[in-house]
Amino acid sequence: MKNKRLITIVGPTGAGKTSVSIALAKHFNTEVISSDSRQIYKGLTIGTAAVTPQEQDGIPHHFVGTLEVTDNFNAFEFEKQALKVIEESFEHYDNLVMCGGSMMYIDAVCKGIDEMPDVDLSIRKQLIKQQEEEGVDALSQRLYEIDKTYYDAIDPKNPARVIHGLEVYLTTGKPISSFRQNTSKERPFDIIKVGITLPREQLYERINLRVDKMLEAGLEEEARRFYPCRECNSLKTVGYRELFDYFDDKITFEEAIRLIKRNSRHYAKKQLTWFRKDEKTRWFAPDQESEILAYLKVEI
RNA sequence: GGUACCAUAGCUCAGUUGGUAGAGCAACGGACUGAAAAUCCGUGUGUCCCUGGUUCAAAUCCAGGUGGUACCA
């Protein structure tokens, strides 16, 4: 039997992954799995440039607008749910398209991540507070005493990772390193990675322009609607947090716009750094549809 | 055309009595397995407009040139 293929489209934000994914899904007469950690939330449509029903053009999309912004979600959860959908879909299709820029979500599906215990979020909250008051060094020191293996593996100046180590220990009584296997899981399907990008200058221009378009489309109003949930993880997102600062009178509107553009560019750059590491990714410009199809070895 | 002022990083500019230069913004590189659009770490990237002069030594002083700005004609 012929191998099933997960055609995985990666690349920086604003490069044009969405339209490529839909063209490919149409070509293969299949569906799209979104690997975007923000488009998965209901209502964050303008600010995340979520694929619209018009753009979808009848192609079924999974994991777009399916969660409430108050929901907690993570890469491991995504791995589980996405694999289930992928498995079911492969009963009907030979090819599936996965498209999105969330680096760790993509890796979770392609390589898997270790299962870890659920953490007590009140413990996390407490640790965050402590970090803000005492600084990260105090927490790093504690982590060092509890779990030297993990301490050596991470950047002790990075509060998110230090806190994560501590919260797992405080929740389970076991060091986080005992849960970390760091092994790659094999998948029962082929994964083929297609990168979509543009020359840096063009990419940045498109990103800046897209922010202007988002504003015209009502980003400010959308952000205002979610202001009450500004502490939710789902809203710790470029485009919203800057506007929240504006709503809080911390910065001017113009400054917020400037920062949204800059932070989007930084995000794109960070994505490129991550995606570049995977040598199996074959890179294309968003308009190279026929080249992409040729690469996927099909008749044009 | 005349006078004055200016010319330094991608941009805006700082640079003391001469000792080959540094801030902000922007940019660039990297890490990252249960927050990942998160969270961190790192990097000055320069023909100091050009040519000549003075000097041990010029971004700095002098002359000329070029370009720009303002005002006067």
Side-chain angles (χ1 to χ4, degrees), chain A residues 4-35:
Chain A
K4 304 287 183 178
R5 279 201 310 185
L6 183 66
I7 299 167
T8 303
I9 300 172
V10 302
T13 189
K17 294 188 295 295
T18 300
S19 55
V20 171
S21 71
I22 288 162
L24 291 180
K26 276 187 189 168
H27 184 95
F28 291 105
N29 194 24
T30 185
E31 306 186 357
V32 174
I33 313 287
S34 167
S35 49

Side-chain angles (χ1 to χ4, degrees), chain A residues 51-62:
Chain A
V51 57
T52 64
Q54 296 93 294
E55 284 175 314
Q56 290 180 31
D57 200 12
I59 301 292
H61 277 65
H62 301 271

Side-chain angles (χ1 to χ4, degrees), chain A residues 49-187:
Chain A
V51 57
T52 64
Q54 296 93 294
E55 284 175 314
Q56 290 180 31
D57 200 12
I59 301 292
H61 277 65
H62 301 271
F63 303 105
V64 177
T66 53
L67 294 180
E68 300 299 330
V69 289
T70 48
D71 289 339
N72 278 302
F73 201 66
N74 57 55
F76 180 68
E77 207 54 47
F78 182 71
E79 176 188 353
K80 279 197 296 194
Q81 294 188 21
L83 281 178
K84 188 159 174 280
V85 169
I86 289 168
E87 204 174 299
E88 286 167 4
S89 300
F90 275 143
E91 288 175 16
H92 311 287
Y93 307 105
D94 288 334
N95 293 283
L96 272 176
V97 175
M98 183 162 81
C99 178
S102 297
M103 303 153 280
M104 205 159 84
Y105 281 31
I106 296 163
D107 274 6
V109 168
C110 296
K111 300 194 277 192
I113 56 178
D114 293 323
E115 179 155 11
M116 295 222 180
D118 285 330
V119 298
D120 185 336
L121 287 179
S122 67
I123 290 177
R124 174 179 294 181
K125 223 171 158 186
Q126 176 60 34
L127 286 167
I128 289 170
K129 195 170 158 233
Q130 205 177 333
Q131 193 268 129
E132 280 162 2
E133 286 165 3
E134 300 169 31
V136 70
D137 290 345
L139 293 182
S140 299
Q141 187 53 38
R142 231 173 123 194
L143 181 65
Y144 180 84
E145 286 154 19
I146 290 164
D147 189 352
K148 190 167 180 309
T149 308
Y150 180 70
Y151 177 92
D152 287 340
I154 63 156
D155 175 3
K157 280 195 164 62
N158 188 333
R161 313 213 70 214
V162 171
I163 288 171
H164 183 53
L166 288 172
E167 69 192 5
V168 168
Y169 176 76
L170 293 174
T171 303
T172 65
K174 291 181 194 159
I176 187 171
S177 56
S178 67
F179 298 99
R180 281 162 53 100
Q181 302 301 316
N182 228 333
T183 51
S184 241
K185 289 176 206 157
E186 284 298 312
R187 299 303 187 201

Side-chain angles (χ1 to χ4, degrees), chain A residues 235-297:
Chain A
L235 270 304
K236 291 186 175 157
T237 301
V238 175
Y240 299 94
R241 44 184 8 192
E242 296 86 354
L243 284 171
F244 294 155
D245 280 345
Y246 160 61
F247 298 156
D248 286 337
D249 272 329
K250 288 184 194 152
I251 55 175
T252 64
F253 182 71
E254 288 69 29
E255 180 67 356
I257 303 319
R258 189 184 76 79
L259 290 175
I260 291 172
K261 289 179 181 176
R262 186 200 60 186
N263 293 340
S264 299
R265 295 194 298 268
H266 286 178
Y267 174 51
K269 186 175 177 305
K270 190 175 80 169
Q271 289 173 303
L272 283 167
T273 298
W274 179 289
F275 292 135
R276 263 196 302 245
K277 278 193 300 187
D278 189 341
E279 286 169 8
K280 287 188 183 133
T281 301
R282 181 74 176 272
W283 290 91
F284 297 92
D287 60 359
Q288 289 184 296
E289 203 180 302
S290 53
E291 284 87 345
I292 294 168
L293 287 172
Y295 174 60
L296 297 172
K297 292 192 184 86

